[in-house]
Amino acid sequence: MEKEPGTGSAESLADERGAGVDHPKKPSPRQLPQVLVSPILREAIVALTALAAFLYVAVTLARLNASYRLHHNHKLHHQKEFVPSRHAEGTAGQEVLHAALNRDEPRSSAVPYTPMPPLRDQADIQDLWVADRVDRILPALLAAHDVSFWLVSQREYGEDPVFWATVPRSKVFSARRRTLMAFHLTDEGLLKKWLFIDNTPKVWDDLKAVLEETKPRNIAINADSTLAFADGMHLGEAEAIIANLPLQYVPRIVRRPLLPIQFLATRPNGMLPFYENLMKIVHSIIAEGFSAKVITPGKTSTADVQWWFRDKIQAMNMTTWFHPSVDLTRPGPSGPINKSGPDAIIQPGDLIWTDFGVTIMGLNTDTQHMGYVLKPDEADPPAGLERGLTHHSNLMQDVVMEEILPGRTGNEVLVAARKKIQELGVNGTVYCHPIGDYGHAAGSLIGMTNLQDGVPVLGDLPIFPNMWYSIELQANVPIPEWGGQHANFRQEEDAYIDEKGDTHWVFRRQDKLHVVRPTYA
């Protein structure tokens, strides 16, 4: 249901209320005067004015692009380091967090699932995260990136990624009309913020009044041709802002792409305990899916397991950001056989794999685990398969975790990690990515499946403290019990970088294969 437009300042979109009165349309100072002239002359004047406006916007955007490149090349390796201080949340926040994590609710008798809090508690918790991001993290970032005034503007269903980090997502589902958010860092280091929601020219009058009040040194907008998370302002929105700003403020527009990226990458206080709880749930779901409760050899297909995962997610009032993947690998007459889909029937002796993630409370997970289906005469998986995990892919994880350091770029981590992995005699590839607000979140990439020597642009970004990563990689291992045929050990586990720069698993990593133990007649 559409809300009535509102103007003025507000603390959140959820609390926005409109007066129910549209402002009369005012003639723009850059509109053509209505004069009595001949139709031909009028059309000529309109055409020339439109051409002049187009050239004005084009030249302004080109100037911004050139000035940004100079600034970006300097700032990429010379920015002021920002390490947000950690502090305890208020008493009310601590009570909500503690109660939600220690709620006494029935659990499944098959697999111990830790419960997530009810929706109302989730909303209260997310409000705390938003407040911490905006009130604590943002002021320090504005100072670190030399930004006096940050302008984030969007229209309904065309939201900037930054928008979602500054509103309570449990109660706000889209921007409304034109939603203009402004953040100003005063000379004393205090943050001032404004929110305007309107679809009339008054929104520009409101913005002009704020600019006249604050007189910012520069005005940062989110526009970038290579970094998606820094490119949240649509071209039409940028054109509208340039066309409606007072002329003296247009030259002050700058681009600071690392500002939105670090803002989105930096995790707020109180978020990690919930993410750890979420990772426990993920591990429990995979353990149940890779068990005899779900898999019957000779009958169950990999597609059946995929849809069991989807049903399980929905039954737990969560969703996902991608359809789960499940496949099987087994030795074949001339090489390993890898299959997936409705016709890929799981058999005894199969090595099975899943790529699985869930979404809840604005958080996303990404996990890859391996499993094995016992044959009738087996009590445990073959030793060669267990060693593929512990002595190859687990070893690669150890190396990558050691090399991740704040201040390094993803490409620097990739080069150092691959060198050590090769020295250890392990054959594999590394392709890690940030995670959190998005499955593939804002921040530096550490390799891609097809880019093992470095990732252009995205791999050149610095790694920040207090961000999360999915440690994703694979090892290619010959299996003695398969006659030397190879198996890929694909693992992915979520980790966090603390404020000191140390990297830890959010929950734990898989160091044993999931074992499907069928009951054979």
Coordinates of all heavy atoms in Angstrom, one line a residue, residues 470-512:
S470 N 33.5 -15.8 2.8 CA 33.3 -17.2 2.6 C 34.6 -17.7 2.0 O 35.0 -17.3 0.9 CB 32.1 -17.4 1.5 OG 30.9 -17.3 2.1
I471 N 35.2 -18.7 2.8 CA 36.4 -19.3 2.3 C 36.1 -20.4 1.4 O 35.8 -21.5 1.9 CB 37.3 -19.7 3.6 CG1 37.4 -18.6 4.6 CG2 38.6 -20.2 3.1 CD1 38.1 -17.3 4.0
E472 N 36.2 -20.1 0.1 CA 35.7 -21.1 -0.9 C 36.9 -21.5 -1.7 O 37.6 -20.7 -2.2 CB 34.6 -20.4 -1.8 CG 34.0 -21.3 -2.8 CD 32.9 -20.6 -3.6 OE1 32.7 -19.4 -3.4 OE2 32.2 -21.3 -4.3
L473 N 37.0 -22.9 -1.9 CA 38.1 -23.4 -2.7 C 37.8 -24.9 -3.0 O 36.8 -25.5 -2.6 CB 39.4 -23.3 -1.8 CG 39.3 -23.7 -0.3 CD1 39.4 -25.2 -0.1 CD2 40.4 -23.0 0.4
Q474 N 38.7 -25.5 -3.8 CA 38.6 -26.9 -4.1 C 40.0 -27.5 -4.3 O 40.9 -26.8 -4.8 CB 37.8 -27.1 -5.3 CG 38.3 -26.6 -6.6 CD 39.2 -27.6 -7.3 OE1 39.1 -28.9 -7.2 NE2 40.2 -27.2 -8.2
A475 N 40.1 -28.8 -3.9 CA 41.4 -29.5 -4.1 C 41.1 -30.7 -5.0 O 40.0 -31.4 -4.8 CB 41.9 -30.0 -2.8
N476 N 41.9 -30.9 -5.9 CA 41.8 -32.1 -6.9 C 42.8 -33.2 -6.4 O 44.0 -33.0 -6.4 CB 42.2 -31.6 -8.3 CG 41.8 -32.6 -9.3 OD1 42.6 -33.4 -9.7 ND2 40.5 -32.6 -9.7
V477 N 42.2 -34.3 -6.0 CA 42.9 -35.3 -5.3 C 42.8 -36.7 -5.9 O 41.7 -37.1 -6.1 CB 42.5 -35.4 -3.8 CG1 43.3 -36.4 -3.0 CG2 42.5 -34.0 -3.2
P478 N 43.9 -37.4 -6.2 CA 43.8 -38.8 -6.6 C 43.4 -39.7 -5.4 O 44.0 -39.6 -4.3 CB 45.2 -39.1 -7.1 CG 46.1 -38.2 -6.4 CD 45.3 -37.0 -6.1
I479 N 42.5 -40.6 -5.7 CA 42.0 -41.5 -4.6 C 42.5 -42.9 -4.8 O 42.1 -43.6 -5.8 CB 40.4 -41.5 -4.6 CG1 39.9 -40.0 -4.6 CG2 39.9 -42.3 -3.4 CD1 40.3 -39.2 -3.4
P480 N 43.3 -43.4 -3.9 CA 43.8 -44.8 -4.1 C 42.7 -45.8 -4.3 O 42.9 -46.8 -5.1 CB 44.6 -45.0 -2.8 CG 45.0 -43.7 -2.3 CD 43.8 -42.8 -2.7
E481 N 41.7 -45.8 -3.5 CA 40.6 -46.7 -3.6 C 39.8 -46.7 -4.9 O 39.0 -47.6 -5.2 CB 39.6 -46.6 -2.4 CG 40.3 -46.9 -1.0 CD 41.0 -45.7 -0.4 OE1 41.2 -44.6 -1.1 OE2 41.3 -45.7 0.8
W482 N 40.0 -45.6 -5.6 CA 39.4 -45.4 -6.9 C 40.4 -45.7 -8.1 O 40.1 -45.3 -9.2 CB 38.8 -44.0 -7.1 CG 37.6 -43.7 -6.3 CD1 37.1 -44.5 -5.3 CD2 36.8 -42.5 -6.4 NE1 36.0 -43.8 -4.8 CE2 35.8 -42.6 -5.4 CE3 36.9 -41.4 -7.2 CZ2 34.8 -41.7 -5.2 CZ3 35.9 -40.4 -7.0 CH2 34.9 -40.5 -6.0
G483 N 41.4 -46.4 -7.8 CA 42.4 -46.7 -8.8 C 43.2 -45.5 -9.3 O 43.7 -45.4 -10.4
G484 N 43.3 -44.5 -8.4 CA 44.0 -43.2 -8.7 C 43.2 -42.2 -9.5 O 43.7 -41.1 -9.8
Q485 N 41.9 -42.5 -9.7 CA 41.0 -41.5 -10.3 C 40.8 -40.3 -9.3 O 40.8 -40.5 -8.1 CB 39.7 -42.1 -10.7 CG 39.7 -43.1 -11.8 CD 38.4 -43.6 -12.2 OE1 37.4 -42.9 -12.1 NE2 38.3 -44.8 -12.8
H486 N 40.6 -39.1 -9.9 CA 40.6 -37.9 -9.1 C 39.2 -37.6 -8.6 O 38.2 -37.9 -9.2 CB 41.1 -36.7 -9.8 CG 42.6 -36.7 -10.0 ND1 43.3 -37.7 -10.7 CD2 43.6 -35.9 -9.4 CE1 44.6 -37.4 -10.7 NE2 44.8 -36.4 -9.9
A487 N 39.1 -36.9 -7.4 CA 37.9 -36.4 -6.9 C 38.1 -34.9 -6.5 O 39.2 -34.6 -6.0 CB 37.4 -37.2 -5.7
N488 N 37.2 -34.1 -6.7 CA 37.3 -32.7 -6.3 C 36.7 -32.5 -4.9 O 35.5 -32.9 -4.7 CB 36.5 -31.8 -7.3 CG 37.2 -31.6 -8.6 OD1 38.5 -31.5 -8.6 ND2 36.5 -31.5 -9.7
F489 N 37.5 -32.0 -4.0 CA 37.0 -31.7 -2.6 C 36.7 -30.2 -2.6 O 37.6 -29.4 -2.4 CB 38.0 -32.2 -1.6 CG 38.1 -33.7 -1.5 CD1 38.8 -34.4 -2.4 CD2 37.3 -34.3 -0.5 CE1 38.9 -35.8 -2.4 CE2 37.4 -35.7 -0.5 CZ 38.1 -36.4 -1.4
R490 N 35.4 -29.9 -2.8 CA 34.9 -28.5 -2.8 C 34.4 -28.1 -1.4 O 33.4 -28.7 -1.0 CB 33.9 -28.3 -3.9 CG 34.4 -28.5 -5.3 CD 33.3 -28.9 -6.3 NE 32.8 -30.2 -6.1 CZ 31.8 -30.8 -6.7 NH1 31.1 -30.0 -7.5 NH2 31.4 -32.0 -6.5
Q491 N 35.0 -27.2 -0.8 CA 34.6 -26.8 0.5 C 34.4 -25.3 0.6 O 35.1 -24.5 -0.1 CB 35.7 -27.1 1.6 CG 35.7 -28.6 1.9 CD 36.5 -28.9 3.2 OE1 37.7 -29.0 3.2 NE2 35.8 -28.9 4.3
E492 N 33.4 -24.9 1.4 CA 33.2 -23.4 1.6 C 32.7 -23.3 3.0 O 31.7 -24.0 3.4 CB 32.2 -22.9 0.6 CG 32.0 -21.4 0.7 CD 31.1 -20.9 -0.4 OE1 30.5 -21.7 -1.1 OE2 31.1 -19.6 -0.6
E493 N 33.3 -22.3 3.8 CA 32.9 -22.1 5.2 C 33.0 -20.6 5.4 O 33.9 -20.0 5.0 CB 33.8 -22.9 6.1 CG 33.1 -23.5 7.3 CD 32.1 -24.6 7.0 OE1 32.5 -25.7 6.7 OE2 30.9 -24.2 7.1
D494 N 32.1 -20.1 6.2 CA 32.1 -18.6 6.5 C 33.0 -18.3 7.7 O 33.0 -19.0 8.7 CB 30.7 -18.1 6.7 CG 29.8 -18.2 5.5 OD1 30.4 -18.3 4.4 OD2 28.6 -18.2 5.6
A495 N 33.7 -17.2 7.5 CA 34.7 -16.8 8.5 C 34.6 -15.3 8.8 O 33.9 -14.6 8.0 CB 36.1 -17.1 8.1
Y496 N 35.1 -14.8 9.9 CA 35.1 -13.4 10.2 C 36.5 -12.9 10.5 O 37.3 -13.6 11.1 CB 34.1 -13.1 11.3 CG 34.5 -13.5 12.7 CD1 35.1 -12.7 13.6 CD2 34.2 -14.8 13.1 CE1 35.5 -13.1 14.8 CE2 34.5 -15.3 14.4 CZ 35.2 -14.4 15.3 OH 35.5 -14.8 16.5
I497 N 36.7 -11.6 10.2 CA 37.9 -10.9 10.6 C 37.6 -10.0 11.8 O 36.7 -9.2 11.7 CB 38.5 -10.1 9.4 CG1 38.7 -11.0 8.2 CG2 39.8 -9.4 9.8 CD1 39.0 -10.1 6.9
D498 N 38.3 -10.2 12.9 CA 38.0 -9.4 14.0 C 38.7 -8.0 14.0 O 39.4 -7.7 13.0 CB 38.3 -10.1 15.3 CG 39.8 -10.4 15.5 OD1 40.6 -9.7 14.9 OD2 40.2 -11.3 16.3
E499 N 38.4 -7.2 15.0 CA 39.0 -5.8 14.9 C 40.5 -5.8 15.0 O 41.1 -4.8 14.6 CB 38.4 -5.0 16.1 CG 38.7 -5.5 17.5 CD 38.0 -4.8 18.5 OE1 37.2 -3.8 18.2 OE2 38.2 -5.1 19.7
K500 N 41.1 -6.9 15.5 CA 42.6 -6.9 15.5 C 43.2 -7.4 14.2 O 44.4 -7.4 14.0 CB 43.0 -7.8 16.7 CG 42.6 -7.3 18.1 CD 43.0 -8.3 19.1 CE 42.6 -7.8 20.5 NZ 43.0 -8.8 21.6
G501 N 42.3 -7.9 13.3 CA 42.8 -8.4 12.1 C 43.0 -9.9 12.0 O 43.4 -10.4 11.0
D502 N 42.6 -10.6 13.1 CA 42.7 -12.1 13.1 C 41.4 -12.7 12.4 O 40.3 -12.2 12.6 CB 42.9 -12.6 14.5 CG 44.2 -12.1 15.1 OD1 45.1 -12.0 14.4 OD2 44.1 -11.9 16.4
T503 N 41.6 -13.8 11.8 CA 40.5 -14.5 11.0 C 40.1 -15.7 11.8 O 41.0 -16.5 12.2 CB 40.9 -14.8 9.6 OG1 41.4 -13.6 9.0 CG2 39.7 -15.3 8.8
H504 N 38.8 -15.9 11.9 CA 38.3 -17.1 12.7 C 37.1 -17.7 11.9 O 36.4 -17.0 11.2 CB 37.8 -16.7 14.1 CG 38.7 -15.8 14.8 ND1 39.6 -16.2 15.7 CD2 38.8 -14.4 14.8 CE1 40.3 -15.2 16.2 NE2 39.8 -14.1 15.7
W505 N 36.8 -19.0 12.1 CA 35.6 -19.5 11.6 C 34.4 -19.0 12.4 O 34.5 -18.9 13.6 CB 35.6 -21.1 11.7 CG 36.7 -21.7 10.9 CD1 37.7 -22.5 11.4 CD2 36.9 -21.7 9.5 NE1 38.5 -22.9 10.4 CE2 38.0 -22.4 9.2 CE3 36.1 -21.1 8.5 CZ2 38.5 -22.6 7.9 CZ3 36.6 -21.3 7.2 CH2 37.7 -22.0 6.9
V506 N 33.3 -18.7 11.7 CA 32.1 -18.2 12.4 C 31.6 -19.3 13.3 O 31.3 -19.0 14.5 CB 31.0 -17.8 11.4 CG1 29.7 -17.5 12.1 CG2 31.5 -16.6 10.6
F507 N 31.5 -20.5 12.9 CA 31.1 -21.7 13.7 C 32.3 -22.7 13.8 O 33.0 -22.7 14.7 CB 29.8 -22.3 13.2 CG 29.4 -23.5 13.9 CD1 29.5 -23.6 15.3 CD2 28.9 -24.6 13.2 CE1 29.1 -24.7 16.0 CE2 28.4 -25.7 13.9 CZ 28.5 -25.8 15.2
R508 N 32.4 -23.4 12.7 CA 33.5 -24.4 12.6 C 33.5 -24.8 11.2 O 32.6 -24.6 10.4 CB 33.3 -25.6 13.5 CG 32.1 -26.5 13.2 CD 31.9 -27.5 14.3 NE 30.7 -28.4 13.9 CZ 30.0 -29.1 14.8 NH1 30.4 -29.0 16.1 NH2 29.0 -29.8 14.5
R509 N 34.6 -25.5 10.8 CA 34.7 -26.0 9.4 C 34.4 -27.5 9.4 O 34.6 -28.2 10.4 CB 36.0 -25.7 8.8 CG 37.2 -26.3 9.5 CD 38.2 -26.9 8.6 NE 39.4 -27.3 9.3 CZ 40.6 -26.9 9.0 NH1 40.8 -26.1 8.0 NH2 41.7 -27.4 9.7
Q510 N 34.1 -28.0 8.2 CA 33.9 -29.5 8.1 C 35.3 -30.1 8.0 O 36.1 -29.8 7.1 CB 33.1 -29.8 6.8 CG 32.9 -31.3 6.7 CD 32.3 -31.7 5.3 OE1 32.3 -30.9 4.4 NE2 31.7 -32.9 5.3
D511 N 35.6 -31.0 8.9 CA 36.8 -31.8 8.9 C 36.6 -33.3 8.9 O 37.5 -34.1 9.0 CB 37.8 -31.4 10.1 CG 37.1 -31.6 11.4 OD1 36.0 -32.2 11.5 OD2 37.6 -31.1 12.4
K512 N 35.3 -33.7 8.7 CA 35.0 -35.1 8.5 C 33.9 -35.1 7.5 O 33.0 -34.3 7.5 CB 34.5 -35.7 9.8 CG 35.6 -35.9 10.9 CD 35.0 -36.7 12.1 CE 36.1 -36.9 13.1 NZ 35.5 -37.6 14.3

